[in-house]
Amino acid sequence: MIHLTIVHWLVLIFFLALFILLVVISKKETRRNVFWSMVFASFLVTTTAAVFSMFVLDKYTKKGKLLAIENHRILRSEEIVFKGRVQNVGKFEIGECRLTIKMINNPVESGKLSGSQIYQPSGFGDFFKSRKENKSRPNTVKREFIVAKYLEPNEVRPFTVRMHYPPYFSKTRLIYKLHCH
């Protein structure tokens, strides 16, 4: 669910007033079918504009920042632990921050690309294999974690998350993406 600020409420009130104004203007139409068509069109336009406005406002009013993140592997349980801090750098309260961690196994360097890494032959028999056999060793692992809820402006909150680390990964590249709303 979206966490609404005072700006969100003002925009919703604006679009509600616009819808009411359009309905009042369409009351001048004497034909009943045209009147209801105009009301329906007004509803669609104002609702669509309000929804897009909510997403745009959410993007620009709720800003989170990943301050520090470090990781270490636990070999016994084949896990990787991420510790860090997230800060609300905006002027409004944030409802929830999600951290997406993407691990890529041995990313290819541009000069060291071989043919077997680009093309892997397949045949007619591949259609009959189960999906588990085809994806037994994925080279990309992506997980999403909720790292903070209800962050006040300028508040910093620490977090710790764990995820499985595939034992066949080597020279792993980690990509972090923080999304707050």
Side-chain angles (χ1 to χ4, degrees), residues 66 98-102 144-145 175-179:
L66 206 55
R98 293 179 181 265
L99 176 66
T100 304
I101 301 174
K102 186 176 186 180
E144 189 174 278
F145 303 96
I175 300 172
Y176 309 107
K177 188 171 183 182
L178 185 68
H179 177 69

Side-chain angles (χ1 to χ4, degrees), residues 71-95:
N71 63 65
H72 65 278
R73 285 182 60 187
I74 301 174
L75 297 176
R76 174 181 273 177
S77 61
E78 293 182 356
E79 287 183 323
I80 186 165
V81 177
F82 297 93
K83 292 182 180 182
R85 294 178 297 154
V86 64
Q87 179 183 14
N88 181 355
V89 293
K91 296 179 182 177
F92 299 98
E93 182 179 333
I94 293 176

Side-chain angles (χ1 to χ4, degrees), residues 2-178:
I2 193 168
H3 189 75
L4 301 178
T5 64
I6 188 68
V7 179
H8 288 83
W9 286 110
L10 291 174
V11 168
L12 284 176
I13 290 170
F14 169 76
F15 281 111
L16 181 64
L18 180 64
F19 173 70
I20 292 170
L21 177 69
L22 290 173
V23 169
V24 168
I25 291 172
S26 61
K27 280 215 175 227
K28 293 180 181 179
E29 180 60 46
T30 56
R31 294 173 290 183
R32 195 154 179 82
N33 289 341
V34 175
F35 166 74
W36 286 112
S37 297
M38 291 172 69
V39 169
F40 182 69
S42 301
F43 176 76
L44 284 180
V45 168
T46 55
T47 303
T48 304
V51 167
F52 282 122
S53 298
M54 291 297 114
F55 285 121
V56 169
L57 281 174
D58 223 26
K59 181 176 174 88
Y60 291 107
T61 58
K62 299 173 183 173
K63 299 176 185 175
K65 183 178 176 185
L66 206 55
L67 290 181
I69 190 162
E70 57 187 44
N71 63 65
H72 65 278
R73 285 182 60 187
I74 301 174
L75 297 176
R76 174 181 273 177
S77 61
E78 293 182 356
E79 287 183 323
I80 186 165
V81 177
F82 297 93
K83 292 182 180 182
R85 294 178 297 154
V86 64
Q87 179 183 14
N88 181 355
V89 293
K91 296 179 182 177
F92 299 98
E93 182 179 333
I94 293 176
E96 178 178 273
C97 284
R98 293 179 181 265
L99 176 66
T100 304
I101 301 174
K102 186 176 186 180
M103 291 192 305
I104 303 170
N105 184 25
N106 198 7
V108 180
E109 297 177 15
S110 61
K112 298 180 180 177
L113 191 62
S114 69
S116 64
Q117 292 171 326
I118 297 172
Y119 175 73
Q120 295 198 355
S122 62
F124 185 70
D126 288 341
F127 288 111
F128 300 109
K129 287 184 181 177
S130 69
R131 289 182 185 241
K132 255 187 178 174
E133 292 175 19
N134 290 340
K135 293 188 178 185
S136 61
R137 293 178 66 145
N139 280 329
T140 303
V141 177
K142 186 176 178 181
R143 291 276 317 268
E144 189 174 278
F145 303 96
I146 297 174
V147 292
K149 286 188 174 186
Y150 305 112
L151 276 174
E152 295 293 327
N154 295 321
E155 182 181 356
V156 178
R157 192 166 301 161
F159 66 88
T160 302
V161 293
R162 297 172 162 240
M163 67 186 286
H164 176 70
Y165 189 88
Y168 58 88
F169 271 31
S170 64
K171 297 182 187 175
T172 305
R173 180 172 179 213
L174 297 168
I175 300 172
Y176 309 107
K177 188 171 183 182
L178 185 68

